[in-house]
């Protein structure tokens, strides 16, 4: 790789051993991907926050960087950790595990991160601008920031993301390059009307189907409603990045690099076309729905973390009702969004109903202790429908926001729920 004078100084250790370690790793990674140079980044988002992702070895790596004087060199947000620092005891986390999470949390604070502990940093202090190079990880956030905002990032590996935040540099490869951002496969929606896309769960199921079919190609979607909201694109981003490896999509007429079909494909005409019908989406939903009992053990919302608007809608729906005994209702968000919701009175409405607002973490990043194995979850999240069965051994029923609240209140899966 060609290095600038300052990057060469970093590599020689003239700005400290921590920075030297970070750039050494990035030079090796850049070589593997055939990068010719580094790009400076203006901000970073670190995924490697959960102890269940990086374990003791990863914690020691972050501590090593700190010990050697490293700090993040650009504004850096961070993903959910593996515990809710306030309510972890109610969430089945052991003392020993909480101590490990706290050790990692302290290391990151010393590194200088902005302690957002959220997988939706774009709704919480970190909002890049169009065309900006950033170094982000966390699959839903990468997909969202590339596609909906039009900033540029690759899906960086855990701990490499930390090195980028420290060095303020990322190897120039993949989605940082114009050519790699061109659409590669067209999904044409057929037979839908605007009423087909009322709730985020509709976007989650469609996103999962698109991701699963596109695998690692850049999908272009034609036919989404003009009124599609950011939270709905968030649900789509997360599900497409879970059903497949989507890190960038173009929604024609909606996302900034796709004002037209031609622009989305960078003028290319020879692409595969896949028609998506309501029947195909229904079939996808059936495949995600593995729940085989009426009784609901857990209703999980907030994968990715919920926005203020989403919490508001849940609060209005559940106000004056009570969560069914024997059913848990977890609503995951960031601490800053929680604080806003608290000011607005929504936290009180939700907690009075007996639901739990989970902050700084999410169930899939928590300690693996078998608590949920074999249980039946209701969720509106396509990503949770993929991860919770794989990580926690649960069964899933997908539902829209009202169906989720109804399931929490009745303890019965949505098809059967009557309030
Ligand atoms: Fe976020 Fe956890 Fe889902 S990190 S995207 S809530 S699996």
């Amino acid at each position: 790789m060609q290095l600038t004078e300052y990057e060469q100084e970093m590599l020689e250790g003239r700005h400290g051993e921590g920075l030297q370690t970070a750039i050494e790793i990035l030079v090796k990674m850049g070589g593997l991907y055939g990068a010719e140079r580094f790009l400076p980044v203006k901000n970073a988002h670190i995924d490697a926050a959960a102890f269940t992702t990086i374990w003791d070895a990863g914690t020691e790596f972050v501590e090593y960087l700190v010990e050697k004087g490293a700090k993040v060199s650009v504004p850096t947000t961070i993903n959910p950790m593996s515990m809710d620092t306030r309510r972890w005891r109610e969430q089945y986390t052991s003392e020993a595990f909480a101590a490990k999470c706290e050790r990692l949390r302290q290391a990151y604070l010393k590194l200088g991160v902005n302690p957002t502990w959220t997988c939706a940093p774009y709704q919480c202090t970190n909002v890049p601008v169009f065309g900006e190079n950033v170094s982000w990880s966390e699959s839903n956030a990468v997909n969202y920031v590339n596609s909906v905002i039009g900033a540029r990032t690759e899906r960086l590996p855990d701990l490499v993301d930390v090195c980028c935040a420290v060095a303020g540099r990322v190897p120039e490869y993949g989605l940082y390059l114009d050519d790699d951002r061109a659409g590669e496969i067209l999904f044409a929606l057929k037979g839908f009307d605007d009423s087909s896309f009322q709730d985020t769960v509709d976007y989650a199921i469609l996103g999962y189907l698109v991701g699963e079919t596109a695998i690692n190609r850049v999908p272009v979607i034609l036919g989404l409603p003009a009124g599609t909201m950011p939270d709905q694109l968030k649900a789509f981003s997360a599900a497409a990045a879970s059903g497949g490896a989507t890190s960038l999509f173009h929604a024609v007429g909606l996302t900034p690099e796709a004002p037209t079909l031609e622009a989305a494909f960078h003028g290319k005409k020879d692409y595969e076309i896949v028609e998506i019908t309501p029947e195909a989406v229904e079939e996808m939903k059936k495949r995600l729905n593995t729940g085989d009992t009426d009784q609901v053990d857990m209703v999980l919302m907030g994968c990715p973390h919920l926005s203020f608007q989403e919490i508001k809608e849940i609060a209005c729906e559940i106000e004056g009702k009570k969560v069914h005994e024997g059913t848990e209702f977890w609503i995951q968000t960031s601490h800053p969004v929680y604080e806003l919701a608290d000011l607005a009175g929504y936290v009180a409405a939700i907690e009075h109903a007996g639901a739990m607002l989970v902050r700084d973490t999410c169930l899939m990043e928590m300690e693996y202790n078998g608590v949920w194995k074999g249980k039946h979850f209701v969720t509106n999240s396509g990503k949770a429908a993929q991860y919770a069965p794989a990580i926690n051994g649960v069964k899933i029923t997908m539902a829209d926001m009202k169906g989720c609240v109804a399931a929490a209140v009745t303890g019965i899966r949505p098809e059967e729920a009557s309030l």
Side-chain angles (χ1 to χ4, degrees):
M1 288 178 78
Q2 297 250 315
L3 303 187
T4 63
E5 201 179 317
Y6 178 62
E7 289 158 359
Q8 189 61 42
E9 285 175 13
M10 283 196 249
L11 194 60
E12 287 165 8
R14 288 163 65 184
H15 299 283
E17 276 185 72
L19 200 46
Q20 184 182 28
T21 300
I23 198 119
E24 272 174 359
I25 289 169
L26 295 178
V27 166
K28 285 194 179 132
M29 183 197 161
L32 287 174
Y33 283 97
E36 290 177 3
R37 59 174 186 155
F38 282 118
L39 295 170
V41 293
K42 289 199 183 149
N43 72 70
H45 179 74
I46 292 173
D47 179 76
F51 184 77
T52 48
T53 305
I54 63 169
W55 304 100
D56 289 307
T59 304
E60 284 166 21
F61 177 73
V62 180
E63 287 176 339
Y64 173 84
L65 290 178
V66 170
E67 193 187 305
K68 296 298 176 188
K71 289 263 182 207
V72 296
S73 63
V74 291
T76 301
T77 47
I78 191 159
N79 232 41
M81 62 179 117
S82 288
M83 73 164 177
D84 178 336
T85 48
R86 299 157 189 89
R87 302 186 72 173
W88 56 271
R89 285 186 180 83
E90 298 163 70
Q91 296 156 357
Y92 315 103
T93 298
S94 68
E95 295 271 350
F97 185 84
K100 285 180 182 284
C101 297
E102 180 57 21
R103 179 176 155 188
L104 181 57
R105 187 174 81 93
Q106 289 301 332
Y108 274 123
L109 291 178
K110 286 181 191 143
L111 199 68
V113 304
N114 174 348
T116 45
W117 313 115
T118 184
C119 49
Y122 43 85
Q123 60 190 24
C124 170
T125 79
N126 194 349
V127 189
V129 298
F130 178 79
E132 183 177 25
N133 291 316
V134 299
S135 60
W136 281 33
S137 46
E138 161 55 47
S139 63
N140 98 76
V142 165
N143 205 11
Y144 188 97
V145 79
N146 268 322
S147 313
V148 181
I149 295 177
R152 295 186 173 204
T153 186
E154 256 299 333
R155 188 164 164 165
L156 297 168
D158 278 25
L159 299 177
V160 166
D161 53 6
V162 177
C163 295
C164 290
V166 166
R169 298 286 189 282
V170 69
E172 185 182 40
Y173 75 106
L175 295 175
Y176 293 105
L177 302 166
D178 282 343
D179 286 352
D180 285 28
R181 298 180 72 83
E184 296 175 291
I185 176 170
L186 176 64
F187 292 89
L189 305 188
K190 202 175 167 202
F192 295 93
D193 55 37
D194 282 7
S195 68
S196 312
F197 296 100
Q198 293 286 327
D199 190 275
T200 56
V201 75
D202 304 319
Y203 287 84
I205 295 166
L206 176 67
Y208 198 98
L209 176 58
V210 166
E212 188 184 65
T213 312
I215 308 175
N216 59 358
R217 289 173 288 177
V218 176
V220 176
I221 302 97
L222 183 63
L224 281 176
T228 297
M229 299 294 283
D231 282 332
Q232 295 167 329
L233 291 171
K234 175 177 71 172
F236 183 95
S237 296
S242 310
T246 305
S247 295
L248 165 67
F249 68 88
H250 300 300
V252 178
L254 281 177
T255 56
E257 291 174 55
T260 62
L261 197 56
E262 194 184 20
F265 281 102
H266 292 199
K268 283 185 296 183
K269 302 243 184 283
D270 55 336
Y271 44 79
E272 184 184 343
I273 301 174
V274 177
E275 269 188 6
I276 296 192
T277 60
E279 293 73 36
V281 172
E282 196 51 38
E283 187 53 36
M284 183 75 251
K285 185 178 178 186
K286 278 191 193 140
R287 280 206 282 129
L288 291 171
N289 280 352
T290 50
D292 52 8
T293 55
D294 287 342
Q295 183 195 320
V296 174
D297 302 298
M298 161 70 88
V299 177
L300 184 69
M301 299 185 78
C303 173
H305 277 176
L306 296 183
S307 67
F308 176 82
Q309 180 63 23
E310 290 172 305
I311 289 184
K312 176 181 179 181
E313 286 164 11
I314 295 167
C316 293
E317 185 67 18
I318 205 167
E319 191 162 24
K321 297 170 187 159
K322 284 279 177 207
V323 173
H324 187 262
E325 210 181 320
T327 301
E328 296 202 35
F329 187 9
W330 287 18
I331 298 163
Q332 303 173 158
T333 191
S334 66
H335 186 66
V337 169
Y338 173 97
E339 288 291 344
L340 281 177
D342 196 21
L343 287 173
Y346 301 135
V347 168
I350 287 169
E351 291 187 339
H352 185 70
M356 164 118 63
L357 275 152
V358 177
R359 280 168 280 175
D360 303 333
T361 185
C362 77
L363 186 140
M364 279 79 79
E365 304 283 16
M366 289 181 186
E367 186 175 20
Y368 305 144
N369 49 20
V371 169
W372 303 110
K373 198 166 180 348
K375 303 285 188 194
H376 181 198
F377 278 33
V378 170
T379 186
N380 63 347
S381 163
K383 182 166 179 178
Q386 158 77 7
Y387 278 54
I391 294 175
N392 307 96
V394 307
K395 299 193 169 172
I396 291 287
T397 295
M398 301 281 295
D400 61 11
M401 185 276 287
K402 288 187 180 207
C404 284
V405 172
V409 170
T410 62
I412 300 169
R413 68 172 155 179
E415 291 90 339
E416 312 292 329
S418 72
L419 291 175

